[in-house]
Amino acid sequence: MDDLLIRGATLYDGSGADPLRADVAVRDGRIRAIGASLPIDARQVVDAGDLALMPGIIDSHTHFDAQLTWDPYVRPSPSLGVTTAVIGNCGFTIAPCRPQDRELTMRNLTQVEGMSFEVLKRGITWEFETFAEYLAQLRGRGCAVNLAAYVGHSSLRTWVMGAEANRRAATQAEIAQMAALVREAMDAGAVGFASSTSPAHNGDGGVPMPSRLASDDEHLALIEAMGAGGRGVYMVTKGAQMPVALLEEMAARSGRPVMIAALLHNGTNPGAVFADLAAISAANTRGRRLIGQVSCCPLTMEYTLASPYPVEGLASWKRALGKQGAALETVLADPQFRQGVRDELAAASAFRLFNGEWDKVHVVEVAQERHRELEQRSIAELAQRAGKDPLDVMLDLALDEDLTTIFTAQLLNSDEEAVARLLNHPHSLVSLSDAGAHLTFFNDAGFGLHLMGHWVRDRAAMGLPEAVRRLTHQSAEIFGLANRGLLREGFAADLLLFDPKTVGRAVSRRVFDLPGGAPRLHTDALGVHGVWVNGELVSDANGLRTDGQLAGQVITEFAH
Ligand SMILES: [Zn+2]
């Protein structure tokens, strides 16, 4: 007898092929049979009707390393169709870690990934020191989705160099120690080695994250150590100063794929991301495997004027930095301060997070009932309506509500024509959800549903078979996730049953379920009817199911 029979679904099998109507039978966590009119001999039968069935989504860019130790359901990813998560991206891991470095590791994560220090301190269960022990802890505690873990550069550096890791280059002896740790982690089942050279990545007190202090030679030595066993993916979030040519050399020297983040479109420097992708294409024609991680979501951040991350990088904002309460309100009310901000925004800049695009700034939540009708409206619209300057509109509203008004700003990746080109590029991977990080600023864990709803159905920027391939088989193939990412007999029953007419993600809302009751942004699924991981139902039309087994596997063996 089968455990599950899904009858008459339209199958998008992950290969990019045209859909096909068939039944799917599941037994012992695997797809036992696919065919027309399979015998009805199963403990559970689901009549699919008009619904579509695809392999579960593989999220290749998550930061669940810490959350996994207190939340085996890695909320909200499983309910958003994700059945496999790759952790340890950018090298911001929690293993290996000695007891005396735990505090520093948590403080660094607080800054670089926008995590709450209190949440990490209350939440993380430290039953490990080495990378292998960390994987053993995950295996022992269980997880609702499958996991593949990078070993992280910043953690290795901290293990070998202690607090010096944030301060200086490594000696030859230290590099050799790190290389030995990389080989050890690969033997224990790491999916690859992850790092960051991005100037945006700062740790505790604003000092660079450890991997940013690494020389090119250190990177090369560690990548060669990773590839020594003929396996592994090198993942890096690169700064603009790191040329694709260097990454091509790393791919050549190690013989391994190089995964490059974060390729986001910037309206003030619109050619940069396409230049990187062109260099990636050229490297591929020379036989190197380089892949660019792109996002199908605009980079949107929520903020209040008490802590307005998007504008804090402006030179004219310096007067307000570090101030709070009445002192901050005095600055924000000052006409001269405001004129300085306006002047700076009017001047061109090569790179700036916020560029005065007021049509992309919205009021999310007001504090006072009489302002309720302003919610969901753009600052540009409100300014036009009131015949006022948009900066004045935002600041006056915030001052009227003791700086508690919540705004949202679309900062990068909001030019839809450009983003459509990124998504369709032959060497891009749709990724960058950053799930598990930046929990109060944004939540893109539903990126896969957004790709299929917004980009496929609403904008026709891509066909559904191709979108499914990009969310499933493409990653499985790059990472060597054997028997996953396709609907095939004998493959793992990682499945997503959904309605192509309604699939998507709801607007994010705040929930308070982190350790200590701290808030995070949560996204509900639209049009999802069932999500199975290794045959176990983890989510249905009502959302996450916590009554089943934790059926996810910690993947430590890879096809190549
Ligand atoms: Zn990241």
Side-chain angles (χ1 to χ4, degrees):
M1 188 183 240
D2 291 321
D3 299 315
L4 169 69
L5 178 69
I6 300 173
R7 295 180 69 205
T10 304
L11 306 191
Y12 291 82
D13 71 359
S15 70
D18 286 339
L20 182 94
R21 210 174 165 87
D23 299 345
V24 173
V26 172
R27 191 182 292 185
D28 297 331
R30 294 185 174 275
I31 298 172
R32 186 190 61 76
I34 299 174
S37 310
L38 294 178
I40 304 174
D41 181 26
R43 264 179 281 280
Q44 200 205 348
V45 177
V46 175
D47 275 307
D50 289 338
L51 301 178
L53 187 72
M54 63 179 274
I57 294 166
I58 298 170
D59 188 341
S60 55
H61 195 124
T62 79
H63 292 279
F64 282 131
D65 302 66
Q67 185 178 332
L68 270 164
T69 72
W70 72 79
D71 174 23
Y73 291 96
V74 290
R75 291 172 175 86
S77 287
S79 55
L80 297 162
V82 173
T83 58
T84 299
V86 180
I87 61 174
N89 278 276
C90 314
F92 304 145
T93 45
I94 58 171
C97 186
R98 290 201 176 88
Q100 64 266 32
D101 295 325
R102 287 173 185 166
E103 168 101 8
L104 175 65
T105 296
M106 290 189 288
R107 290 208 179 277
N108 280 339
L109 285 177
T110 297
Q111 181 65 34
V112 75
E113 294 296 353
M115 296 170 171
S116 151
F117 180 73
E118 273 310 304
V119 168
L120 294 174
K121 207 167 160 69
R122 282 169 183 261
I124 299 179
T125 314
W126 300 91
E127 292 167 354
F128 60 88
E129 290 188 23
T130 68
F131 182 80
E133 288 165 0
Y134 174 68
L135 291 188
Q137 176 177 328
L138 295 183
R139 227 177 275 122
R141 297 188 151 234
C143 180
V145 302
N146 306 303
L147 300 169
Y150 287 111
V151 59
H153 195 172
S154 284
S155 294
L156 294 181
R157 261 186 151 248
T158 303
W159 177 277
V160 170
M161 302 169 68
E164 291 284 285
N166 295 68
R167 291 180 201 140
R168 63 168 172 86
T171 64
Q172 283 307 318
E174 287 164 339
I175 292 174
Q177 280 184 62
M178 283 187 255
L181 287 169
V182 170
R183 281 191 292 271
E184 228 174 78
M186 293 304 292
D187 288 344
V191 70
F193 169 66
S195 187
S196 166
T197 61
S198 168
H201 283 154
N202 297 307
D204 187 34
V207 301
M209 282 298 281
S211 62
R212 288 182 49 203
L213 280 295
S215 64
D216 293 350
D217 284 344
E218 179 179 330
H219 280 276
L220 275 164
L222 301 185
I223 295 156
E224 284 181 331
M226 174 197 82
R231 297 206 298 106
V233 173
Y234 169 58
M235 181 277 157
V236 64
T237 296
K238 80 173 192 73
Q241 81 289 354
M242 192 184 208
V244 174
L246 175 61
L247 294 161
E248 181 175 355
E249 191 191 335
M250 291 169 172
R253 296 251 302 254
S254 65
R256 301 306 307 164
V258 174
M259 185 80 90
I260 304 165
L263 301 187
L264 296 163
H265 185 259
N266 178 356
T268 59
N269 193 359
V273 71
F274 293 109
D276 277 347
L277 278 170
I280 288 171
S281 283
N284 276 275
T285 63
R286 290 186 282 267
R288 315 300 174 212
R289 188 94 196 263
L290 273 59
I291 305 114
Q293 290 191 348
V294 302
S295 172
C296 66
C297 307
L299 178 60
T300 302
M301 286 199 175
E302 276 198 21
Y303 62 94
T304 68
L305 265 297
S307 175
Y309 191 86
V311 288
E312 284 180 344
L314 295 174
S316 55
W317 205 270
K318 281 225 167 70
R319 259 183 72 198
L321 279 188
K323 292 200 168 68
Q324 22 180 325
L328 176 57
E329 292 184 18
T330 304
V331 175
L332 298 182
D334 178 2
Q336 246 185 333
F337 168 80
R338 293 183 179 192
Q339 194 52 45
V341 174
R342 269 192 285 272
D343 290 346
E344 183 173 356
L345 288 175
S349 168
F351 178 78
R352 191 159 60 195
L353 207 48
F354 178 64
N355 293 287
E357 296 173 284
W358 295 106
D359 56 323
K360 293 174 181 169
V361 179
H362 287 77
V363 179
V364 176
E365 201 177 304
V366 297
Q368 295 173 17
E369 202 47 49
R370 66 197 169 87
H371 292 145
R372 189 70 59 196
E373 64 104 19
L374 305 180
E375 289 182 352
Q376 308 308 327
R377 303 203 182 273
S378 79
I379 296 297
E381 180 192 341
L382 297 177
Q384 199 181 27
R385 222 164 67 180
K388 282 175 65 177
D389 174 82
L391 179 67
D392 290 337
V393 168
M394 179 175 77
L395 294 181
D396 289 345
L397 173 58
L399 286 168
D400 203 15
E401 300 198 324
D402 299 327
L403 309 186
T404 58
T405 322
I406 299 173
F407 299 92
T408 180
Q410 286 184 10
L411 300 167
L412 298 172
N413 235 38
S414 56
D415 175 338
E416 294 221 310
E417 221 167 294
V419 173
R421 285 167 62 201
L422 299 183
L423 300 179
N424 281 292
H425 191 277
H427 299 292
S428 71
L429 179 68
V430 181
S431 182
L432 298 177
S433 79
D434 258 346
H438 310 292
L439 297 181
T440 58
F441 291 113
F442 64 94
N443 184 334
D444 287 340
F447 75 104
L449 306 184
H450 186 63
L451 183 71
M452 296 192 287
H454 181 74
W455 293 100
V456 171
R457 183 190 58 236
D458 299 345
R459 288 194 57 102
M462 186 185 285
L464 187 52
E466 172 65 3
V468 170
R469 185 189 73 81
R470 283 178 174 265
L471 295 171
T472 59
H473 178 58
Q474 189 188 0
S475 277
E477 196 276 319
I478 293 167
F479 291 109
L481 306 177
N483 301 318
R484 296 188 195 276
L486 289 171
L487 300 181
R488 292 281 186 276
E489 290 176 2
F491 272 49
D494 295 341
L495 305 170
L496 167 54
L497 184 67
F498 68 102
D499 184 349
K501 290 192 295 297
T502 57
V503 68
R505 56 173 184 169
V507 174
S508 295
R509 60 189 169 87
R510 271 177 303 159
V511 297
F512 298 83
D513 63 359
L514 288 174
R520 67 176 173 92
L521 285 170
H522 178 84
T523 306
D524 289 312
L526 301 175
V528 169
H529 290 256
V531 182
W532 291 264
V533 175
N534 299 310
E536 187 76 29
L537 184 69
V538 293
S539 194
D540 58 21
N542 297 316
L544 186 68
R545 297 274 301 249
T546 55
D547 53 339
Q549 306 261 351
L550 292 171
Q553 292 176 8
V554 179
I555 302 169
T556 53
E557 300 204 3
F558 301 87
H560 50 77

